[in-house]
Amino acid sequence: MIIRDALETDAQQIAAVHAANWRFFYRGALRDEFLDGDIVSERSAFWVKQLHSPRPNQHVIVAEKEDKIVGFACAYTNFDEQWGSLLDSLHVSQFMQRQGIGAKLLVAVAQYCKSDTASGGLFLWVVQSNLQAQRFYLALGAVNAGADSWAPPGGGYVPRYRFAWQSVSQLLHNAATHSSRPHKGTVL
């Protein structure tokens, strides 16, 4: 498996992973009509735009195994004065989870953010019903730093939590310590 920068030509595969994960992990949070509809086309249009015209502070990476994208992450450095860089997306194909791919993507994002903003933090939003994701981030030292709601594509409002690390250096240290311990059912 390799971790590499995303290319414009990766948009369709990224969208397929994104849509499949939303359908699986966000069932009950997002509207069924949206999840059961043409979500792959909606996510494709989103990722084509993101990769064709990226913001200057955007960084998208993919995890690739045997020429197939099995995970991706998207971050925006220097996104928020208080919280630091934003991890906007981190998804691993549900059939490839618990193999350390998510942790590798998160570490790669943290390393990139550290090179751009050495003292800054990292944060993300997690849908409150996604307990697996919450356990994953908590295991790597994130703290639950508050809640709000998200207006997702397809309509409605979804409660979510902000998970944060005070610094990306802290996250990198936690990830290194965590990867050297034996895993006992931890989601990675």
Side-chain angles (χ1 to χ4, degrees):
M1 187 193 64
I2 63 168
I3 305 286
R4 64 169 175 80
D5 289 339
L7 307 171
E8 280 188 63
T9 55
D10 295 328
Q12 301 303 318
Q13 286 191 65
I14 291 171
V17 171
H18 203 174
N21 277 10
W22 274 14
R23 281 184 171 144
F24 185 77
F25 292 106
Y26 288 10
R27 184 70 61 185
L30 301 185
R31 293 188 171 170
D32 286 344
E33 308 82 55
F34 174 70
L35 294 174
D36 295 336
D38 195 5
I39 187 174
V40 175
S41 292
E42 188 275 337
R43 290 288 84 196
S44 279
F46 175 83
W47 284 108
V48 164
K49 181 181 176 188
Q50 293 299 106
L51 295 172
H52 179 71
S53 302
R55 297 180 202 170
N57 64 333
Q58 175 182 292
H59 184 65
V60 181
I61 58 174
V62 297
E64 187 177 62
K65 185 173 184 177
E66 299 172 6
D67 296 323
K68 183 175 180 184
I69 292 173
V70 296
F72 72 93
C74 175
Y76 296 95
T77 58
N78 299 308
F79 187 84
D80 183 273
E81 205 170 289
Q82 177 181 355
W83 300 100
S85 298
L86 169 66
L87 176 60
D88 190 51
S89 294
L90 191 153
H91 289 274
V92 175
S93 170
Q94 59 185 312
F95 304 108
M96 298 297 294
Q97 293 191 2
R98 297 183 182 262
Q99 297 181 36
I101 297 168
K104 288 176 184 171
L105 286 166
L106 185 58
V107 165
V109 163
Q111 289 170 335
Y112 180 81
C113 292
K114 184 176 180 181
S115 71
D116 195 43
T117 57
S119 63
L122 181 68
F123 76 102
L124 67 141
W125 294 99
V126 178
V127 172
Q128 287 183 11
S129 61
N130 191 346
L131 300 178
Q132 182 174 326
Q134 292 175 46
R135 287 189 298 269
F136 171 73
Y137 296 116
L138 289 169
L140 291 168
V143 296
N144 184 328
D148 79 352
S149 62
W150 167 48
Y157 290 94
V158 177
R160 63 185 184 172
Y161 293 121
R162 179 193 316 259
F163 280 77
W165 293 267
Q166 188 174 11
S167 74
V168 292
S169 296
Q170 173 195 13
L171 167 57
L172 290 168
H173 172 77
N174 293 347
T177 302
H178 188 62
S179 68
S180 66
R181 293 189 318 231
H183 300 293
K184 294 182 181 178
T186 304
V187 178
L188 289 178

